[in-house]
């Protein structure tokens, strides 16, 4: 799930003359990305309430009874299959081969993509909103950039609009521009052909010159969501005030074990994708995928449904009522649900469900060794799972840190990421190429 957002390409000129004209487009794109995320989230939540509260109550059926869970998820598969089959653009490319960001889609594809994502979110599919929201924001911003270009006036480069939309959506998703800064910093450092200070087409300035406009967009997107809601990844874990050597050892071990657990999912993913792909037609693959997700939902219970953030908070709050085997079972079932959803073609992201998987794995480790601090166990496991499946070091560290909401744990996580990275580097991640082979 590598981030492929093109870095903003600066136009020639002095840094000040280059940066000032980018402020207004960055604000517009950032606010637009925030509103897009809020709109899709609100619509999905309303539909989720109807499907999982209003209808079962009216019918006298248990909200999370086996019959209702299987019925709703199978129906969700049918609905998403119809969108992928019939709606213009087929809801975008195969999500198994699509990471965060990437080249802009045609604007006409966006309605189908967002509809499929909204149905998946509301229906209980184990995927998050991040990939479709970023793809939609990028497509719309790129389209807007081309529309506002005037004859005889040099238009801002297309990569600028893509970078602004990616940053604005990251800011909206996480409620802070820090995530966008980390992601784009990694992109600028690793993406072949990314503009360099003083290089051809570069502005000859620092990294902050190149991050200026994206950070404006990310800040605008984050502020938009903060004003309308209260986004956050904090899971209510007890804070870690004074980490010691025992905490460091626990973080190193848990993060590495969680990384290997994530690698198991990465190893299974290509085979599962090929198996479901043999059915070819979306009206076969997606309903079957929905049925399997329903069965997994019955097996794992309601905590293993949906994108996973609210369920992670509920799991953390009630973790003492579970044994280590039950917690590990929740991690396995949620992993299986994520793999089936992604392989079958449901539209959605994988970062949010991975938070639940990491939390369940970490709580299982803490149940085995009660001396491990819960914040250390959960954040280290989230770090390891995300490193294995996304290979995005900064994003993994950021999400793991905000899950714990304890500044003192950041040093432990930085050190714990090192052995986990050695375990995952060069191995397949949870994304395929166009031929269905795992990316490394």
């Amino acid at each position: 799930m590598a981030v492929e957002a093109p870095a903003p390409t600066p136009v020639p000129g002095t840094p000040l003359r280059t940066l000032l004209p980018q402020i207004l487009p960055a604000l517009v794109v950032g606010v637009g990305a925030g509103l897009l995320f809020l709109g899709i989230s609100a619509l999905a939540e309303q539909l989720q309430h109807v499907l999982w509260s209003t209808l079962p109550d009216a019918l006298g059926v248990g909200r999370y009874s086996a019959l209702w869970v299987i019925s709703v998820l199978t129906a969700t598969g049918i609905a998403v299959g119809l969108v992928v089959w019939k709606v213009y653009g087929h809801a975008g490319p195969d999500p198994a081969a699509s990471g965060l960001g990437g080249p802009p889609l045609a604007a006409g594809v966006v309605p189908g993509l967002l509809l499929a994502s909204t149905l998946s979110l509301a229906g209980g599919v184990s995927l998050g909103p991040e990939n479709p929201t970023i793809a939609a924001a990028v497509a719309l911003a790129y389209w807007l950039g081309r529309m506002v270009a005037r004859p005889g006036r040099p238009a801002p480069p297309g990569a600028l609009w893509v970078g602004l939309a990616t940053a604005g959506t990251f800011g909206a998703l996480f409620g802070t521009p820090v995530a966008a800064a980390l992601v784009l910093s990694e992109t600028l450092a690793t993406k072949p052909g990314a503009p360099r200070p003083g290089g051809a087409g570069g502005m000859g300035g620092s990294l902050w010159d190149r991050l200026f406009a994206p950070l404006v967009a990310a800040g605008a997107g984050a502020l938009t969501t903060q004003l309308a809601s209260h986004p956050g990844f904090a899971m209510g874990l007890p804070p870690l005030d004074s980490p010691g050597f025992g905490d460091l050892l626990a973080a190193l071990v848990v993060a590495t074990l969680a990384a290997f657990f994530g690698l198991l999912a990465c190893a299974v993913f290509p085979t599962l994708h090929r198996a479901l792909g043999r059915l070819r037609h979306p009206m076969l693959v997606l309903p079957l995928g929905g049925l399997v997700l329903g069965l997994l939902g019955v097996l794992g219970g309601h905590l293993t449904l949906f994108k996973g953030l609210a369920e992670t908070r509920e799991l953390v709050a009630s973790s003492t009522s579970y044994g280590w085997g039950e917690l590990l079972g929740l991690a396995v079932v949620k992993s299986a649900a994520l793999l089936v959803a992604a392989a079958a073609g449901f539209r959605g992201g994988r970062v949010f469900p991975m938070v639940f998987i990491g939390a369940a794995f970490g709580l299982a480790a803490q149940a085995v060794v009660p001396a491990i601090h819960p914040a250390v166990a959960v954040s280290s496991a989230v770090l390891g799972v995300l490193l294995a499946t996304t290979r995005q070091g900064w994003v993994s560290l950021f999400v793991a840190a905000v899950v714990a909401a304890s500044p003192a744990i950041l040093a432990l996580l930085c050190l714990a990421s090192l052995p986990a990275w050695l375990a995952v580097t060069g191995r397949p991640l949870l994304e395929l190429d166009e031929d269905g082979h795992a990316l490394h």
Side-chain angles (χ1 to χ4, degrees), residues 299-355:
L299 178 63
H302 73 280
L303 288 179
T304 59
L305 301 174
F306 307 107
K307 63 184 180 183
L309 291 189
E311 291 72 27
T312 303
R313 293 188 183 95
E314 183 178 345
L315 177 64
V316 168
S318 60
S319 60
T320 55
S321 61
Y322 294 94
W324 71 267
E326 294 172 299
L327 291 166
L328 186 60
L330 290 174
V332 171
V333 172
K334 186 70 172 181
S335 299
L338 171 59
L339 291 174
V340 171
F346 286 95
R347 271 46 177 177
R350 301 159 208 170
V351 173
F352 286 34
M354 283 295 171
V355 172

Side-chain angles (χ1 to χ4, degrees), residues 24-90:
L24 181 59
L27 289 173
V28 171
V29 172
V31 172
L35 292 175
L36 177 65
F37 170 62
L38 288 171
I40 294 303
S41 297
L43 182 59
E45 288 172 3
Q46 290 297 320
L47 182 55
Q48 178 181 328
H49 181 75
V50 171
L51 291 175
W52 296 96
S53 297
T54 305
L55 280 179
D57 290 350
L59 296 172
V61 179
R63 294 182 180 182
Y64 297 112
S65 64
L67 174 62
W68 192 251
V69 170
I70 294 172
S71 299
V72 171
L73 280 158
T74 303
T76 300
I78 294 171
V80 175
L82 286 170
V83 173
V84 174
W85 181 28
K86 289 295 187 180
V87 174
Y88 175 80
H90 306 291

Side-chain angles (χ1 to χ4, degrees), residues 150-163:
R150 297 179 182 178
R153 177 180 297 182
L160 172 65
W161 296 100
V162 174

Side-chain angles (χ1 to χ4, degrees), residues 45-324:
E45 288 172 3
Q46 290 297 320
L47 182 55
Q48 178 181 328
H49 181 75
V50 171
L51 291 175
W52 296 96
S53 297
T54 305
L55 280 179
D57 290 350
L59 296 172
V61 179
R63 294 182 180 182
Y64 297 112
S65 64
L67 174 62
W68 192 251
V69 170
I70 294 172
S71 299
V72 171
L73 280 158
T74 303
T76 300
I78 294 171
V80 175
L82 286 170
V83 173
V84 174
W85 181 28
K86 289 295 187 180
V87 174
Y88 175 80
H90 306 291
D94 182 359
S98 303
L100 292 168
L105 304 173
V109 178
V110 170
L113 174 62
L114 292 180
L115 178 57
S117 174
T118 302
L119 291 171
S120 297
L121 289 170
V125 176
S126 293
L127 293 172
E130 60 273 19
N131 290 44
T133 307
I134 292 173
V138 166
L140 293 175
Y142 187 76
W143 172 80
L144 175 65
R146 297 181 64 184
M147 291 293 293
V148 300
R150 297 179 182 178
R153 177 180 297 182
L160 172 65
W161 296 100
V162 174
L164 295 180
T166 303
T169 311
F170 264 100
L173 286 166
F174 294 102
T176 171
V178 174
L182 294 175
V183 168
L184 290 176
S185 297
E186 188 166 8
T187 302
L188 287 169
T190 60
K191 183 178 176 62
R196 305 285 178 179
M203 68 177 65
S206 68
L207 174 65
W208 285 97
D209 287 333
R210 290 176 284 160
L211 287 178
F212 179 83
L215 282 179
V216 173
L223 186 59
T224 300
T225 56
Q226 288 173 359
L227 291 173
S229 61
H230 301 283
F233 276 66
M235 297 299 158
L237 292 162
L240 178 68
D241 297 323
S242 302
F245 287 107
D247 296 312
L248 174 58
L249 178 60
L252 294 170
V253 173
V254 172
T256 304
L257 291 176
F260 281 115
F261 184 79
L263 287 176
L264 290 176
C266 298
V268 172
F269 189 49
T271 302
L272 181 60
H273 183 264
R274 284 194 297 270
L276 290 173
R278 291 192 179 96
L279 298 177
R280 298 184 180 276
H281 201 284
M283 287 305 295
L284 295 176
V285 179
L286 284 154
L288 176 61
L291 174 61
V292 175
L293 290 176
L295 295 173
L296 288 171
V298 172
L299 178 63
H302 73 280
L303 288 179
T304 59
L305 301 174
F306 307 107
K307 63 184 180 183
L309 291 189
E311 291 72 27
T312 303
R313 293 188 183 95
E314 183 178 345
L315 177 64
V316 168
S318 60
S319 60
T320 55
S321 61
Y322 294 94
W324 71 267

